[in-house]
Amino acid sequence: MSDFISWYIILLVAINILGCYALLYYTRDIDSSGDDDGTTGHSYDGIKEYNNPLPRWWLYMFYITIVFSIVYLILYPGLGKFQGVLGWSSAAQHEQEVVAHNEKYGPIFAQYAAVPIAELVNDETALGMGQRIFGTACIACHGSDGRGSPGYPNLTDNDWLYGGTPDDIVKSLVDGRSGMMPAQVAVIGEESINDVVAYVLSLSGRKANYGFAEKGQQKFMMCAACHGADGKGNKFLGAPNLTDDIWLYGASEKAIAEGLRNGRNGVMPSHKDILTPEQIHLVATYVYSLSKE
């Protein structure tokens, strides 16, 4: 924050506090310019506005609020670069809470981290801890039940883009994943989009135009580098298996055609800076358990 912005904020806050005080001070008593009958002289539909002062207790509450705000701004941040005489900050408090949390739960996490995921998956307490961490860090994309949504994988089935072993899941959490399908329209041609869509549908046993699918098979060879000549995908690249009728972006002809025309980009961020290795171990255990139920 620049000095100019800092002083601008300080000046703005000061003007607002003084303005509130001035408003209260100069309106604390009744307006002597009103009518003799105790009203302000304003009338609408025969209804007159009484000229009564604010109740004293209410007025004093406003004064107390102003005093409180001044004391608060002296003790805590709120005036530009001034951090308050207490030196408090949300970042420092967060760090203190993290340290206290790690001291309390660190030994428990370490105990579970020493157990292989394939064994830990049978521990209900460990699964419960993993589920709660999953609920904090993962549900925004994968949903509270882990079933995902268009563009975000379902973690409860056995269809894994990058592999579903414990080590694969841990690697996904630690390093993240970045999957990209380039647009294919320039390679296969717009006139062949429907042919390739028909062939892709036929790979999973779905109903498709035989003539289109036969022509699309030849064009599909352009896709074999990632999806394989048999369409079963490649876990090293994160290329989906097209033969199991499980679709990440939707199973309609329109969705498949859109993927061919525009490509797809899927990114899972790394969680190594969000979760500790021990927490990742528990989340991986929970995720691993979802597809084993």
Side-chain angles (χ1 to χ4, degrees), residues 30-64:
I30 63 174
D31 184 1
S32 59
S33 64
D35 290 349
D36 295 335
D37 60 356
T39 65
T40 62
H42 301 155
S43 177
Y44 184 81
D45 277 352
I47 301 174
K48 292 187 176 182
E49 179 184 355
Y50 278 102
N51 189 18
N52 293 327
L54 286 172
R56 288 304 175 188
W57 67 268
W58 196 2
L59 181 64
Y60 294 150
M61 287 293 292
F62 280 120
Y63 284 138
I64 291 172

Side-chain angles (χ1 to χ4, degrees), residues 59-220:
L59 181 64
Y60 294 150
M61 287 293 292
F62 280 120
Y63 284 138
I64 291 172
T65 302
I66 291 175
V67 173
F68 174 83
S69 66
I70 295 173
V71 173
Y72 179 92
L73 290 171
I74 292 173
L75 297 177
Y76 295 97
L79 294 175
K81 290 183 177 181
F82 179 64
Q83 295 300 305
V85 297
L86 295 181
W88 178 89
S89 72
S90 57
Q93 180 174 337
H94 172 72
E95 291 176 1
Q96 292 174 0
E97 292 177 358
V98 168
V99 170
H101 178 275
N102 290 338
E103 289 178 353
K104 182 176 181 179
Y105 297 103
I108 301 175
F109 287 145
Q111 176 185 348
Y112 287 127
V115 181
I117 289 176
E119 298 178 20
L120 193 60
V121 75
N122 298 313
D123 189 316
E124 292 298 327
T125 303
L127 288 179
M129 294 177 67
Q131 182 179 18
R132 287 188 287 275
I133 300 172
F134 178 91
T136 300
C138 310
I139 65 171
C141 295
H142 295 286
S144 58
D145 57 0
R147 295 184 181 276
S149 59
Y152 302 98
N154 181 351
L155 304 178
T156 66
D157 56 27
N158 288 305
D159 190 73
W160 296 88
L161 293 175
Y162 294 93
T165 68
D167 289 342
D168 291 331
I169 298 172
V170 169
K171 181 173 177 58
S172 294
L173 287 164
V174 172
D175 298 331
R177 299 291 188 179
S178 181
M180 185 206 47
M181 173 182 167
Q184 299 295 308
V185 67
V187 179
I188 64 178
E190 176 63 34
E191 68 280 357
S192 298
I193 291 290
N194 291 334
D195 298 337
V196 177
V197 169
Y199 178 68
V200 170
L201 290 173
S202 71
L203 288 174
S204 58
R206 296 178 61 193
K207 184 178 179 180
N209 184 292
Y210 177 79
F212 287 177
E214 189 174 18
K215 290 188 293 183
Q217 183 176 10
Q218 300 174 4
K219 292 291 185 177
F220 182 81

